[in-house]
């Protein structure tokens, strides 16, 4: 037995290879000493299934499951005769449907709360950004002049409800899509109806014996994804802003060092902002603050993780403790007195780790219970009943903290909370807010293009490192980077979301950043807030000078460490909107097939965007930059950039002389 143990110890991967996040490294070392298992250990012992990885298997009926050979993809078909292209297209379709369902489910929940707030049935939340309410209403043709908040709000609710329930016609935010892009969608029948309809149709078409032409399945994949980006996710962002405020830049702190040994530490993890917003009220409740002090703490410390954390980091500057892969390791500090979660990316492994450190793990949403966790349901008409109880649980855990606490000292700073409204204002100034300066700087070549780098972390690759290497390479090449999701926290921990990080940018981007005082990497919020990027793209097209369609823009997207089906849905809506989007880690298709060709070439030939893939960050950067340059050339602005760079070089020569 002892020998066996030695062997397993020898095989242990150094924590530095698992993650570049130092705090997470420290906690992984401690976890090993404490005998606690995390996703990093499970990823090592659970080899990814190679057939599933290539999407060459189908379990859509009981004649199967059928496994095809991805080395010889056309050598075999399933029992029903389904070929590799049908099988992969259906698998991809269902992943996109699941991701789209998640974002729409979240958006619909927000919209329901909004309705009850407007109706006066919920008073723990409010309409905080009336300007945003009006601008969103106007963007879909709702009259706002001389009308009350309630009138506008109810009409907005009725209109946006169609995002989910629309049986026919086009979703409301299709009105925000640039004309030429929308025309193309109409030509291919891609403009979504309501999400319920699109997801239902996607599930039905991918049942055994229904849609068996990968091209036709792809049409519904795009339409389904578009009702995520321009539908449910966009509603989640806009309603979130209306109720909780539109973000504007705030200085923030990230990393595990935001936990405080002498305070009652509460972490909120998940996605919907309502839990966190109510928790913000609870931790300020004087009686609860007193109770924390009576328990010997100096106060209550509320911090976020994952997208829940990003919602309030952007809006209120609440500290953020880390991204997805750090959610288990942070419990290893022993300093977390409660972790409250709602929906999405809450890995079941948390239960065991929480148990080891006697941290209450509390689920709050009826759609997400976890075996072994404590469920305290949050009801929107009285959310504080739930969040107060969580605080009380945390205080009593603080009081009975038994084991020694070990909090990594790491704290990093950044400026986050950008929004498309703020980009408008920041570059244009308050009197001439517009996208013209951004477009001008792209046209004159100081900014080569814009890249969205987003998405998860994944223990199949070294946590954070792919994000950071990729983004550094992009900004070095004058590509302005916008970010959402867990990726943003990777970059914040690496110090790239500060204005000072401009020195890492190429000469053109550096000049723009220094003039405006902005970071070269802009954090735009949670994953639903990728829709801020869609709107920014839309504005860039409408402002002029960069083509007529989103597909004309010198922009690209990437999720280099993705893991979730939501990320695939996001990727697909960017592709269908006209953006080249590259993913890392692995891509769920079989190489050398017609479906691969459609995804990586065919969609672009139709005038949409296309997919790209590489596990290597520098290769990803090169692909994105090459795409941006291709678009610059097509726009005839490639020469301008040569001039700017020559100017810079000339200037340096002069300086040197
Ligand atoms: Fe989840 Fe949104 Fe991915 Fe992070 S980035 S791991 S989806 S928390 Ni959305
Ligand atoms: Fe096999 Fe066809 Fe059934 Fe899929 S649908 S499991 S390929 S028989």
């Amino acid at each position: 037995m002892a020998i066996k143990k030695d062997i397993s110890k020898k095989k242990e991967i150094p924590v530095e290879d698992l993650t570049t996040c130092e705090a997470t490294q420290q906690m992984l070392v401690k976890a090993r000493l404490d005998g606690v298992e995390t996703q990093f250990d499970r990823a090592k012992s659970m080899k990814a299934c190679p057939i599933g990885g290539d999407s060459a298997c189908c379990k859509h009926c009981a004649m199967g499951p059928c496994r095809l050979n991805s080395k010889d993809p056309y050598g075999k078909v399933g029992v029903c005769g389904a070929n590799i292209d049908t099988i992969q297209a259906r698998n991809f379709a269902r992943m996109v449907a699941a991701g789209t369902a998640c974002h729409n489910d979240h958006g619909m929940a927000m919209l329901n709360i909004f309705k009850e707030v407007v109706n006066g049935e919920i008073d723990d939340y409010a309409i905080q950004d009336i300007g945003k309410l009006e601008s969103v209403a106007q963007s879909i043709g709702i009259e706002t002049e001389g009308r009350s908040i309630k009138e506008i709000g109810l009409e907005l609710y009725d209109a946006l409800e169609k995002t989910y329930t629309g049986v026919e016609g086009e979703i409301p935010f299709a009105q925000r899509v640039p004309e030429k892009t929308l025309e193309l969608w109409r030509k291919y029948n891609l403009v979504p109806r309501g999400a319920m309809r699109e997801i239902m149709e996607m599930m039905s078409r991918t049942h055994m014996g229904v849609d068996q032409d990968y091209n036709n399945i792809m049409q519904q994949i795009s339409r389904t994804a578009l009702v995520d980006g321009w539908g449910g996710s966009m509603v989640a962002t806009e309603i979130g802003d209306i109720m909780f405020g539109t973000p504007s830049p705030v200085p923030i702190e990230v990393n595990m060092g935001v936990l405080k040994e002498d305070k009652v530490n509460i972490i909120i993890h998940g996605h919907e902002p309502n839990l966190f917003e109510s928790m913000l009220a609870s931790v300020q409740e004087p009686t609860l603050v007193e109770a924390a002090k009576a328990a010997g703490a100096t106060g209550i410390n509320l911090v976020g993780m994952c997208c829940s954390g990003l919602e309030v980091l952007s809006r209120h500057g609440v500290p953020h403790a880390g991204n997805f892969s750090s959610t288990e390791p942070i419990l290893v500090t022993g300093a977390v007195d409660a972790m409250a979660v709602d929906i999405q990316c809450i890995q079941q492994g948390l239960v065991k780790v929480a148990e080891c450190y006697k941290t209450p793990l509390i689920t709050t949403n009826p759609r997400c219970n976890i075996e072994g966790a404590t469920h305290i349901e949050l009801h929107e008409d009285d959310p504080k009943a739930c969040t107060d109880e969580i605080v009380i649980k945390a205080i009593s855990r603080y009081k009975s903290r038994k084991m020694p606490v070990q909090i990594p000292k790491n704290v990093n700073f950044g400026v986050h909370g950008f929004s498309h409204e703020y980009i408008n204002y920041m570059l244009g100034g308050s009197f001439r807010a517009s996208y013209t300066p951004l477009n001008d700087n792209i046209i004159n070549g100081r900014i080569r293009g814009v890249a969205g780098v987003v998405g998860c972390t994944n223990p199949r690759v070294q946590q954070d490192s792919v994000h950071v290497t990729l983004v550094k390479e992009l900004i070095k090449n004058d590509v302005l980077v916008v970010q959402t999701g867990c990726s943003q926290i990777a970059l914040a921990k690496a110090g790239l979301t500060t204005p000072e990080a401009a020195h890492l940018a190429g000469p053109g981007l550096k000049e723009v950043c220094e003039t405006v005082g902005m970071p070269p990497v802009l954090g735009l919020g949670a994953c639903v807030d990728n829709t801020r990027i869609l709107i920014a793209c839309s504005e860039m097209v409408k402002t002029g000078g960069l083509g007529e369609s989103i597909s004309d823009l010198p922009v690209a997207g990437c999720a280099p460490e993705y893991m979730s089906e939501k990320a695939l849905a996001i990727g697909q809506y960017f592709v269908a909107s006209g953006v080249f989007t590259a993913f890392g880690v692995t891509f769920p298709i079989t190489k050398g097939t017609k479906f691969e060709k459609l995804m990586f070439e065919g969609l672009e030939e139709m005038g949409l965007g296309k997919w790209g893939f590489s596990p290597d960050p520098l290769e990803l950067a090169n692909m994105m930059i090459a795409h941006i340059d291709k678009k610059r050339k097509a726009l005839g602005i490639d020469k301008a950039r040569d001039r700017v760079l020559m100017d810079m070089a000339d200037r340096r020569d002069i300086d040197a002389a």
Side-chain angles (χ1 to χ4, degrees), residues 58-66 77-82 87 90 208-209:
C58 176
K59 56 178 178 65
H60 291 196
C61 88
M63 295 189 283
C66 302
V77 292
V79 175
C80 68
I87 289 174
R90 286 196 304 215
M208 182 272 150

Side-chain angles (χ1 to χ4, degrees), residues 32-45:
R32 283 174 181 175
L33 293 172
D34 295 352
V36 171
E37 186 189 84
T38 67
Q39 61 166 231
F40 293 98
D41 305 302
R42 294 189 295 271
K44 188 187 158 212
S45 62

